[in-house]
Amino acid sequence: MSINNVQIFDTTLRDGEQVPGCKLNTEQKLIIANRLDILGVDVIEAGFPVSSPGDYNSVLEISKIIKNATVCALTRANQKDIEVAAAALKYAKRPRIHTGIGTSDSHIIYKFNSTQDKIIERAIEAVAYAKKFVEDVEFYAEDAGRTSNEFLAKVCEQVIKAGATVLNIPDTTGYCLPDEYGAKIKFLKENVKGIHNVIISCHCHNDLGLATANAIAGVQNGARQIECTINGIGERAGNTALEEVVMILKQHPYLNLDTNINTRLLYETSQLVQQSMGMIVQPNKAIIGENAFAHSSGIHQDGVIKNRETYEIINPADVGVNESSIILTARSGRAALAYRAKNVGYDLTKIELDDIYPQFLQFADHHKEVNDNDLHHLMELNHIHKTSIAI
Ligand code: KIV
Ligand code: ZN
């Protein structure tokens, strides 16, 4: 069976940068955009040009340097936003305007004080207007997650007729369950005329911790683009994490879905974004967190030392992490102590290991972690000399 490509639409520089305290200057954005291009993302959402002169300038400069990816700019459904976005994208090799409007009752009533018919009219006008400037127009139905499938289908059919090339179905508030979001995509595939000529895109937020699960449910039901950010940063609880969806598709080849991402660059890209934004991810973050390949309990360490696959489903090298780490704590067993001692040059005999292990445990009980210096000290106290060169 042939493998279906899922386009990766990175919005680190737009939805990700909306995070309080994560503001980047143009120079930082250029460095990240260039790294995203090398990583292999298909689309870079570079900003929301009408929002500020700085954002306009960033989109303009990013458009000049990006060689492979489509460069996309966000707008609301009005002519001024679209004109400014088009101007900011004028140097892009592959420009895309991302325009749209809220479609849920909550947005229509409270945000726009409008009606469903008027919202459809504005959606059509926005897409048709964007089409005057660029061929590639993506439409977002904001709060699609809480929009009835029937009305959403109506909106989608009309914007396809107006020329939309990509339909973004955002779960803006992170409300949907994976079954529900997947069913929404399936409903659109089965009920919208012209849907087979466009790409359906998943844009999921993480308010209930389901952003990644929902995006995967979306592509399992026919969506072919995922909007995501490095480290899952974004409004409130964040967006779908790029590294997570990419590795899920890679680790489950029977889904027949793959991306163009060079996964070996995931860790360094994550580090770049963390450092540039000053937003450090939690150690237990999937794929790129500091503990993602660290083993500290004796049972797990023993298994990993015998064969990495006993407790790791991803080869760390596949995401650009040098190796799995065996952390020495009071929960570690003899196998881990022998392994780490060997790494720093001591090939312990069984007798030496049996002698030293109780001392190690006593020390470890009073410290969070036992490091290489502590190991050297322990060996000195026991008159154990190096037998090999440290690895
Ligand atoms: O979450 C959302 O709905 C968005 C749109 C502007 C695409 O970010
Ligand atoms: Zn969003």
Side-chain angles (χ1 to χ4, degrees), residues 11 14-16 18 45 142 168 170-173 203-205 227 234-236 238-239:
T11 184
R14 200 279 297 169
D15 217 323
Q18 288 174 208
E45 187 163 51
E142 196 180 10
N168 179 7
D171 183 23
T172 304
T173 58
H203 178 114
C204 301
H205 278 269
E227 310 201 357
E235 279 278 347
R236 307 181 309 282
N239 288 61

Coordinates of all heavy atoms in Angstrom, one line a residue, residues 11 14-16 18 45 142 168 170-173 203-205 227 234-236 238-239, ligand 2:
T11 N 3.5 26.3 13.1 CA 3.0 27.6 13.5 C 3.7 28.1 14.8 O 3.2 28.9 15.5 CB 1.4 27.7 13.6 OG1 1.0 29.0 13.9 CG2 0.9 26.7 14.6
R14 N 3.9 31.8 14.8 CA 2.6 32.6 14.9 C 1.8 32.2 16.2 O 1.8 32.9 17.2 CB 1.8 32.4 13.6 CG 0.7 33.4 13.4 CD -0.5 33.2 14.1 NE -1.2 32.0 13.7 CZ -2.3 31.5 14.4 NH1 -2.7 32.0 15.5 NH2 -2.8 30.3 14.0
D15 N 1.2 31.0 16.2 CA 0.4 30.6 17.4 C 1.4 30.4 18.5 O 1.1 30.8 19.7 CB -0.3 29.3 17.1 CG -1.7 29.2 17.7 OD1 -1.8 29.7 18.9 OD2 -2.6 28.6 17.1
G16 N 2.6 29.8 18.3 CA 3.6 29.6 19.3 C 4.0 30.9 19.9 O 4.2 31.0 21.2
Q18 N 2.5 33.6 20.3 CA 1.4 34.3 21.0 C 1.5 34.1 22.5 O 0.9 34.7 23.3 CB 0.0 33.8 20.5 CG -0.3 34.3 19.1 CD -1.6 33.8 18.5 OE1 -1.7 33.7 17.3 NE2 -2.5 33.4 19.4
E45 N 4.1 29.0 9.1 CA 3.2 30.2 9.3 C 4.1 31.2 10.0 O 4.5 31.1 11.2 CB 2.0 29.8 10.2 CG 1.1 31.0 10.3 CD -0.3 30.6 10.7 OE1 -0.5 30.0 11.8 OE2 -1.3 31.0 10.0
E142 N -12.7 29.1 12.5 CA -12.3 29.1 13.9 C -13.4 28.5 14.8 O -14.6 28.7 14.6 CB -12.0 30.6 14.3 CG -11.3 30.7 15.6 CD -11.0 32.1 16.0 OE1 -11.5 33.1 15.4 OE2 -10.2 32.3 17.0
N168 N -8.8 24.4 7.0 CA -8.3 24.2 8.4 C -9.5 24.1 9.3 O -10.4 24.9 9.4 CB -7.4 25.4 8.8 CG -6.9 25.3 10.2 OD1 -7.1 24.3 10.9 ND2 -6.3 26.4 10.7
P170 N -10.0 24.0 13.0 CA -9.4 24.1 14.3 C -10.3 23.7 15.5 O -11.4 24.1 15.5 CB -9.1 25.6 14.4 CG -9.3 26.2 13.1 CD -10.3 25.3 12.4
D171 N -9.7 23.0 16.4 CA -10.3 22.8 17.7 C -9.7 23.9 18.6 O -8.9 23.6 19.4 CB -10.0 21.4 18.2 CG -10.8 21.1 19.5 OD1 -11.8 21.8 19.8 OD2 -10.4 20.3 20.3
T172 N -10.2 25.1 18.3 CA -9.6 26.3 18.9 C -9.5 26.3 20.4 O -8.6 26.8 21.0 CB -10.4 27.5 18.4 OG1 -10.5 27.5 17.0 CG2 -9.8 28.8 18.9
T173 N -10.5 25.7 21.0 CA -10.6 25.7 22.5 C -10.1 24.4 23.1 O -10.2 24.2 24.3 CB -12.0 26.0 23.0 OG1 -12.9 24.9 22.5 CG2 -12.5 27.3 22.6
H203 N -5.9 21.6 13.3 CA -5.2 22.6 14.1 C -5.8 22.4 15.5 O -7.0 22.8 15.8 CB -5.5 24.0 13.6 CG -4.9 25.1 14.3 ND1 -3.9 25.9 13.8 CD2 -5.2 25.6 15.6 CE1 -3.6 26.8 14.7 NE2 -4.4 26.6 15.8
C204 N -5.1 21.7 16.4 CA -5.7 21.4 17.7 C -5.0 22.0 18.9 O -3.8 22.1 18.9 CB -5.7 19.8 17.9 SG -6.6 19.0 16.5
H205 N -5.8 22.4 19.8 CA -5.2 23.0 21.1 C -5.3 22.0 22.2 O -6.0 21.1 22.2 CB -5.9 24.4 21.4 CG -5.3 25.5 20.5 ND1 -4.3 26.2 21.0 CD2 -5.6 25.9 19.3 CE1 -3.9 27.1 20.0 NE2 -4.7 26.9 19.0
E227 N -1.3 21.1 11.8 CA -0.7 22.4 12.2 C -0.2 22.1 13.7 O -0.9 21.6 14.5 CB -1.8 23.5 12.2 CG -2.5 23.5 10.8 CD -3.2 24.7 10.4 OE1 -3.2 25.7 11.2 OE2 -3.7 24.7 9.3
G234 N 2.1 27.4 22.5 CA 1.0 28.0 21.8 C 0.0 28.6 22.8 O 0.2 28.4 24.0
E235 N -1.0 29.2 22.3 CA -2.0 29.9 23.2 C -2.4 29.0 24.4 O -2.6 27.8 24.2 CB -3.3 30.2 22.4 CG -3.3 31.4 21.5 CD -3.6 32.7 22.3 OE1 -4.1 32.7 23.5 OE2 -3.3 33.8 21.7
R236 N -2.6 29.5 25.5 CA -3.0 28.8 26.7 C -2.2 27.5 27.0 O -1.0 27.6 27.2 CB -4.5 28.5 26.7 CG -5.4 29.7 26.4 CD -6.8 29.3 26.4 NE -7.1 28.2 25.5 CZ -7.2 28.3 24.2 NH1 -7.1 29.5 23.6 NH2 -7.5 27.2 23.4
G238 N -1.3 25.4 24.8 CA -0.5 25.1 23.7 C -1.2 24.4 22.5 O -2.4 24.2 22.6
N239 N -0.4 24.0 21.5 CA -0.9 23.4 20.3 C -0.4 21.9 20.3 O 0.4 21.5 21.1 CB -0.3 24.1 19.1 CG -0.9 25.5 18.8 OD1 -0.8 26.4 19.7 ND2 -1.6 25.7 17.7
Ligands
ZN2 ZN -4.6 28.2 17.3

